[in-house]
Amino acid sequence: MPSGLHARSHTYYKRLILGYLLFCLAALFCFSNRIYAETEPVVGEPDSHEVYLKLKKGERVWKDKVYVAPQQPTVYLTFDDGPSKLTGQVLDILQQEEVKATFFVLGKQVEAYPDLVKRAVAEGHAIGNHTYNHVYGELYKGFSSFWEQIERTEDILAETVDIRPSLIRAPGGTFGNFDAFYFYYLDQAGYEVHDWHIDSGDSKRVGVPASEIIQTVRKGPFQDELIVLMHDGTGHEQTVKALPEIIRLFKQKGYVFAVLQPSVQPKHFAVGKVQQPRPSSEAGYEKQLAEAKVHELAMSALEQSRHAQQAADKANHSESSPMIQETAGGVSTSTVVGTKGSLLLTNHTRTAAAPLEVLLARKSLKLDTEHYRFKDGHYQVPLRQLMESLGGDIQWRGEQRTAVAHYGLHTLEYDFVQQELRVRDHGTTTTIHLPQMELQEGTVYVPLRGTLDKLRIGIATYGPEDGVMKVQVGMNLRL
Ligand SMILES: [Zn+2]
């Protein structure tokens, strides 16, 4: 308990209440083996010393992020510790069942079975980082060794499949292994750590029979969004055997199967008491934090340059066109890119910490952080405000659940029934299926750059300025 609280409790009654609260807290700590630590999202740049003190107390601190809830019950099957000689069979089953999954791979195994990782990626599965060698004694003696293994595995994956996953799974799960610092550094570095909701129990001991694995999964708990832990490492033949039945079980329950991605709300176990003592110093914290931030900058910078490259490749398209990236204010990212080689980043989903200002020809559109989103690498802005600022107009056709925007000779029809966007332009109509658009509480959100592109409006410059992310639009740059 912070001593400040004691200082403020002048009266006997206050002490009594405080004592009772302390007792309750202590009781909670004693009786619950998975305590969800007090958590606070941080908006903007928090004071790093304050954060240090919080982390030291075991409190979680994380960036403000937005996750997307699935439209229907969704299960994320995850396989850890591979690839191994069993992974091919797992991939065959997934292929037969038309199911996608996520593989949390070990760097060491990727070196041994690179082709299986290539196959998993080619078949649409997601790849996450499960460290290099899974040795608890090394991973949990202090964050720097965990970090080294994450980076090492990431480099191997970049070489093998040109992916630097932002998904991480802690060997053994985070409980009893991660402290608040581990969570914080990884979050600052742009990673998402995923524990699980259902443990299939396939690694409880050697050779757990398929029937027992199925029974364990059958017990649930079942909720709308579910992460299931399984293993495709050496010795897990019984998991392979159980897999078809497990897939059937979720299909019968009406689940759809999806891969984990940064927009999925991660499951985190609580910060428990760590099994291995580890040193901590504020200097070490500052150093590690700086390293985490450099990593994130490198990933963002590379994502940006990748998008720029895509822009150069295809000058005139829409959905796949470059989106504005969150940029790091005041820091030179070019040197960072050099150190990171060929980074590929999966998309981040988060709200940005700064207001967004779109400078148009005559007007500017200023949106506070709560009025726009930064999702999957795109700024998502309210369509109505954007059109009105441009001097265009917009109508909502309630019956068809379609928003129709006009700007000059361009018409954009966002159809939420057909889930398509029809772009009418100089007498031609282009239909985009499953476009980026979202209807939330009566507001249609669309990607800023993608939408401006469709209206043949280019973005001249963008970047942070005085705490505001400014986007300068160049009208009719490209006709
Ligand atoms: Zn593992």
Side-chain angles (χ1 to χ4, degrees), residues 80-81 106 130 134 136 170-172 231:
D80 289 10
D81 301 356
L106 294 171
H130 196 45
H134 211 280
Y136 295 169
H231 294 83

Side-chain angles (χ1 to χ4, degrees), residues 316-383:
N316 219 4
H317 347 357
S318 46
E319 287 315 287
S320 57
S321 84
M323 299 301 161
I324 306 161
Q325 291 306 307
E326 192 179 43
T327 52
V331 182
S332 164
T333 50
S334 56
T335 49
V336 178
V337 175
T339 64
K340 272 294 170 188
S342 64
L343 279 164
L344 181 143
L345 182 69
T346 52
N347 292 324
H348 286 247
T349 301
R350 70 173 72 112
T351 52
L356 175 69
E357 188 170 9
V358 187
L359 303 159
L360 304 160
R362 271 158 290 176
K363 264 183 150 182
S364 90
L365 167 63
K366 196 163 179 180
L367 297 165
D368 288 332
T369 47
E370 67 269 29
H371 294 125
Y372 77 98
R373 297 82 163 295
F374 183 73
K375 205 186 119 188
D376 296 338
H378 312 222
Y379 280 116
Q380 309 276 343
V381 300
L383 179 63

Side-chain angles (χ1 to χ4, degrees), residues 169-363:
R169 173 162 288 151
T174 60
F175 186 72
N177 293 323
F178 269 31
D179 55 26
F181 289 98
Y182 273 59
F183 277 116
Y184 183 65
Y185 297 136
L186 292 173
D187 185 53
Q188 287 290 311
Y191 294 110
E192 293 285 350
V193 177
H194 287 267
D195 285 310
W196 53 83
H197 300 97
I198 295 182
D199 177 354
S200 69
D202 65 346
S203 65
K204 243 190 291 183
R205 54 182 195 278
V206 177
V208 177
S211 58
E212 190 180 326
I213 298 170
I214 295 164
Q215 264 321 105
T216 307
V217 174
R218 211 186 283 280
K219 282 186 206 142
F222 298 100
Q223 57 191 62
D224 278 357
E225 212 174 3
L226 264 185
I227 301 172
V228 181
L229 169 70
M230 289 179 279
H231 294 83
D232 65 330
T234 312
H236 284 284
E237 285 80 2
Q238 293 296 312
T239 305
V240 178
K241 203 173 153 197
L243 184 57
E245 185 59 31
I246 290 170
I247 292 172
R248 210 163 303 134
L249 174 78
F250 285 107
K251 283 185 175 171
Q252 277 164 1
K253 288 186 179 290
Y255 279 87
V256 294
F257 295 78
V259 299
L260 287 175
Q261 48 184 321
S263 58
V264 176
Q265 169 106 53
K267 164 73 180 167
H268 289 169
F269 296 147
V271 179
K273 193 173 162 25
V274 295
Q275 286 154 9
Q276 282 190 68
R278 47 186 81 130
S280 94
S281 74
E282 192 156 359
Y285 154 82
E286 295 288 356
K287 185 174 166 279
Q288 191 57 63
L289 183 57
E291 213 169 307
K293 286 185 171 169
V294 165
H295 181 90
E296 205 209 10
L297 279 174
M299 303 232 275
S300 302
L302 213 89
E303 190 180 18
Q304 228 169 302
S305 70
R306 199 173 272 257
H307 280 133
Q309 186 61 48
Q310 279 172 4
D313 292 350
K314 320 174 170 181
N316 219 4
H317 347 357
S318 46
E319 287 315 287
S320 57
S321 84
M323 299 301 161
I324 306 161
Q325 291 306 307
E326 192 179 43
T327 52
V331 182
S332 164
T333 50
S334 56
T335 49
V336 178
V337 175
T339 64
K340 272 294 170 188
S342 64
L343 279 164
L344 181 143
L345 182 69
T346 52
N347 292 324
H348 286 247
T349 301
R350 70 173 72 112
T351 52
L356 175 69
E357 188 170 9
V358 187
L359 303 159
L360 304 160
R362 271 158 290 176
K363 264 183 150 182

